[in-house]
Amino acid sequence: MRRTFRLAAVLAAATLGLAACGGGGDDAAAPAEGKGGAPIVLASFNFTDSVILAELYGAALEAKGYPVERKLNIGSRELIYPSLQKGELQFIPEYQGAAIVNGFNETAPKDAASEHAKLTELFAKSNIGLLNYAPAENKNTYLVKADLAQAQGLVKIGDLKKLPNVVVAGGPECEKRPTCFAGIRDTYGVNATFQAVQEAGPRVEQLRSGAVTVIPVDSVNPLVGDPAFKALEDDLAIVPTENVVPAVAKKVLDERGPDFAATVNAVSAKLTTEELRGLNKLVDSDGELPADVAKEWLATQGLI
């Protein structure tokens, strides 16, 4: 069934290609308004649910006839934002609170609607617009080993002050972020050291081995519910609300029109935190491909 599905996708792509080149006659050569032209350059950060989100939006747009070019697993905002502002990247599924705090070094409001309004203003200076935010939320969650948490009474991030030596492992960008290591050190007052570990897999293994004390993971990561780990409460709220929101170049929004926005918004409307956690599990735990789980989910939701 998987091979049949992929063959159908290839044939569909070939058909679209012929239409774009005028190979199917006059009717086939005339795309619907706003759907022809250069591909929309779609990007993602370098973690699982960001890639899944990009695949969800990309597949939904392609099903409506919009050409899409994927540039996935690029890295952090420090790498993506300059290219987004230059127009080299045109669409990124973002997370509202983190975008405000880490992307613009501003303080995030406490609710999703206010975050959306503030982020709209911040992005407007770079000619980037926001579409509707999703109910789905993904925020940094801090994990320690469950046996350590039980032995030392670790419930909240601030409880890390009970330990003589705390090592936080995260991506290089984590060190200076107030939502990550800098927040643990400065807001919570934990005497900790930082260890840069770029990839999530090695971070988890270092936590399992006891080489590091705490690591950030996505709240939709299946590890959050793993009994081997304990998720610490962020009682001082260093991590803001993190609803998923598509950030799109205004040039694309203007050229592609209301049907483009409606297609993207329809995907966002269906996305919940639980749904996104389930998709993450299919990729991270079950070994499915992000593109496959995205298409299957869109099909079950009636979006393609």
Side-chain angles (χ1 to χ4, degrees):
M1 291 179 66
R2 181 79 69 192
R3 290 179 180 176
T4 301
F5 177 80
R6 287 177 177 166
L7 177 59
V10 170
L11 291 173
T15 302
L16 286 172
L18 287 173
C21 296
D26 291 340
D27 291 338
E33 183 178 354
K35 295 185 179 180
I40 299 155
V41 185
L42 173 65
S44 85
F45 301 114
N46 59 335
F47 50 88
T48 301
D49 69 279
S50 180
V51 176
I52 292 171
L53 288 168
E55 292 286 7
L56 286 169
Y57 291 117
L61 288 168
E62 287 172 330
K64 294 289 187 179
Y66 295 97
V68 174
E69 177 184 354
R70 291 164 174 77
K71 292 189 176 181
L72 308 182
N73 258 315
I74 293 177
S76 65
R77 289 176 185 84
E78 287 82 352
L79 295 173
I80 287 179
Y81 271 30
S83 294
L84 191 63
Q85 290 162 354
K86 292 175 185 175
E88 297 166 351
L89 303 175
Q90 299 173 313
F91 188 138
I92 178 76
E94 253 294 8
Y95 304 85
Q96 292 191 151
I100 293 169
V101 176
N102 300 323
F104 292 95
N105 198 29
E106 297 274 351
T107 301
K110 297 298 184 182
D111 64 278
S114 298
E115 283 183 344
H116 191 271
K118 182 163 186 173
L119 189 57
T120 297
E121 293 179 3
L122 293 171
F123 266 133
K125 302 169 187 176
S126 301
N127 291 314
I128 297 165
L130 296 184
L131 293 176
N132 295 349
Y133 63 86
E137 183 182 5
N138 181 14
K139 60 202 306 181
N140 269 5
T141 300
Y142 293 92
L143 295 185
V144 296
K145 292 179 69 176
D147 55 359
L148 176 67
Q150 184 174 9
Q152 300 295 329
L154 306 181
V155 177
K156 304 174 181 179
I157 294 175
D159 291 335
L160 291 169
K161 288 187 286 188
K162 298 176 181 179
L163 305 180
N165 298 301
V166 175
V167 180
V168 180
E173 68 281 354
C174 170
E175 184 175 11
K176 296 181 179 180
R177 287 183 173 178
T179 58
C180 205
F181 174 73
I184 292 173
R185 180 195 60 204
D186 299 337
T187 303
Y188 280 100
V190 177
N191 184 19
T193 57
F194 179 73
Q195 183 173 321
V197 182
Q198 179 66 55
E199 299 300 328
R203 267 181 249 156
V204 174
E205 291 310 308
Q206 290 202 22
L207 183 63
R208 287 187 193 275
S209 71
V212 302
T213 315
V214 58
I215 64 170
V217 299
D218 305 325
S219 59
V220 295
N221 191 308
L223 290 175
V224 173
D226 190 320
F229 303 104
K230 167 70 175 177
L232 299 176
E233 296 175 18
D234 179 20
D235 54 304
L236 297 183
I238 61 171
V239 182
T241 303
E242 298 288 12
N243 293 76
V244 172
V245 64
V248 187
K250 287 185 177 179
K251 181 175 184 289
V252 171
L253 294 174
D254 292 343
E255 290 178 350
R256 305 296 174 163
D259 185 58
F260 171 90
T263 299
V264 175
N265 287 336
V267 175
S268 297
K270 297 276 190 177
L271 276 173
T272 66
T273 302
E274 292 73 21
E275 293 279 358
L276 193 52
R277 185 179 293 116
L279 294 175
N280 259 24
K281 182 179 182 298
L282 289 172
V283 175
D284 282 342
S285 299
D286 300 346
E288 295 285 329
L289 296 175
D292 290 344
V293 301
K295 288 175 183 176
E296 289 164 6
W297 184 85
L298 290 168
T300 63
Q301 299 295 326
L303 294 171
I304 61 173

